Amino acid sequence: MDDDQSAEETAFVVDEVSSIVKESLEAVIGRNPYEHKRVNQWVSSVVEQSLGQLSKLSKPFKYIVTCIIMQKNGAGLQSASSCFWDNTTDGSCSVRWENKHLYCIVSVFGLAI
Amino acid sequence: YLKYKHKEEASLMPGPCLSYDCIEGIIGGVDYSQNKVNQWTASIVEHTLTQLVKQGKPFKYIVNCAVMQKSGAGLHTANSCYWDTTTDGSCTVRWENRTMYCVVSVFAVAIAL
């Protein structure tokens, strides 16, 4: 029992990270339409809020959070990542989110210290 | 057709010129193609990562690439990192041609030796 608990405390748990990101997106953007003047603020808030919540988990990780917001108007968007790390301890999670007016892709990378 | 050169000086990071050349080599003279974009983003991240690893420095790397069709839509990206600011670093390269935008971010996290 103790071993499982400590493994959980030091592992990158995708579901946990995913829900933190979704909460930040709902809180910051929610149902708002794409607004050129506010988008800058939104991307910054989403990454900062997500990072804040992640660091509160107090796990032995360094984190990198990236966020892309794109207006819906028919354009195609493709995003890819490649990582050189320790497969046994490090992890990542990508969340694809949208509302009626915009798409958002948030990626979180956790690197074990 | 337009090309932006965004060469930033970064003492820690080998990133900028490396990423720029990788992008140029893979999508330099071509138009956005929905069928091929998948391949392109994968090639750009893999190629960049391989070149970085060849440098043999004590870093873990994350390479992120987004390609967007030019159609008037707005696009915003942001990154936030929770790490050791004395040893870790990142660099982002923005590139475009007549039909698409490409943004590549490289993150380097120091490995404790």
Side-chain angles (χ1 to χ4, degrees):
Chain A
M1 257 313 258
D2 279 349
D3 277 348
D4 283 348
Q5 221 176 355
S6 64
E8 173 82 17
E9 277 162 15
T10 58
F12 186 86
V13 182
V14 175
D15 291 336
E16 195 175 33
V17 173
S18 190
S19 38
I20 287 175
V21 169
K22 286 181 185 157
E23 276 168 28
S24 307
L25 288 166
E26 289 294 337
V28 174
I29 308 174
R31 292 192 197 162
N32 286 318
Y34 184 93
E35 275 170 79
H36 178 67
K37 293 188 179 155
R38 295 177 70 189
V39 167
N40 224 356
Q41 247 176 278
W42 289 341
V43 278
S44 304
S45 301
V46 167
V47 292
E48 277 167 33
Q49 215 167 308
S50 301
L51 202 54
Q53 294 299 313
L54 286 166
S55 54
K56 276 189 192 164
L57 295 174
S58 299
K59 293 193 173 181
F61 281 102
K62 291 180 178 179
Y63 294 105
I64 292 161
V65 183
T66 72
C67 171
I68 298 177
I69 294 181
M70 186 177 85
Q71 195 176 9
K72 277 189 178 179
N73 92 340
L77 173 71
Q78 181 82 21
S79 177
S81 303
S82 195
C83 309
F84 179 71
W85 60 20
D86 184 337
N87 272 332
T88 55
T89 57
D90 306 331
S92 71
C93 149
S94 259
V95 174
R96 212 187 131 247
W97 184 93
E98 65 182 279
N99 69 16
K100 265 175 76 186
H101 317 274
L102 52 87
Y103 292 110
C104 183
I105 302 177
V106 177
S107 297
V108 180
F109 302 91
L111 300 157
I113 300 174
Chain B
Y1 74 85
L2 291 172
K3 267 202 276 186
Y4 269 152
K5 288 207 176 207
H6 207 94
K7 304 208 173 188
E8 295 151 4
E9 290 305 320
S11 55
L12 187 68
M13 289 294 307
C17 302
L18 201 159
S19 312
Y20 189 87
D21 291 337
C22 282
I23 301 171
E24 192 64 39
I26 292 163
I27 52 176
V30 296
D31 286 350
Y32 181 87
S33 155
Q34 199 196 338
N35 295 333
K36 298 199 183 152
V37 70
N38 216 359
Q39 267 171 264
W40 292 336
T41 50
S43 300
I44 291 170
V45 293
E46 279 165 34
H47 202 147
T48 307
L49 193 60
T50 312
Q51 296 298 311
L52 285 166
V53 170
K54 265 191 200 166
Q55 298 184 339
K57 297 189 180 183
F59 284 106
K60 290 180 179 180
Y61 295 103
I62 291 164
V63 182
N64 198 30
C65 168
V67 172
M68 186 178 88
Q69 191 178 13
K70 275 188 176 178
S71 78
L75 177 76
H76 275 254
T77 69
N79 307 318
S80 196
C81 309
Y82 181 72
W83 58 20
D84 184 339
T85 52
T86 57
T87 57
D88 307 330
S90 73
C91 136
T92 300
V93 168
R94 279 155 284 272
W95 181 97
E96 68 181 273
N97 70 9
R98 202 176 51 89
T99 56
M100 55 187 164
Y101 294 106
C102 178
V103 182
V104 175
S105 295
V106 176
F107 303 90
V109 175
I111 301 174
L113 291 169

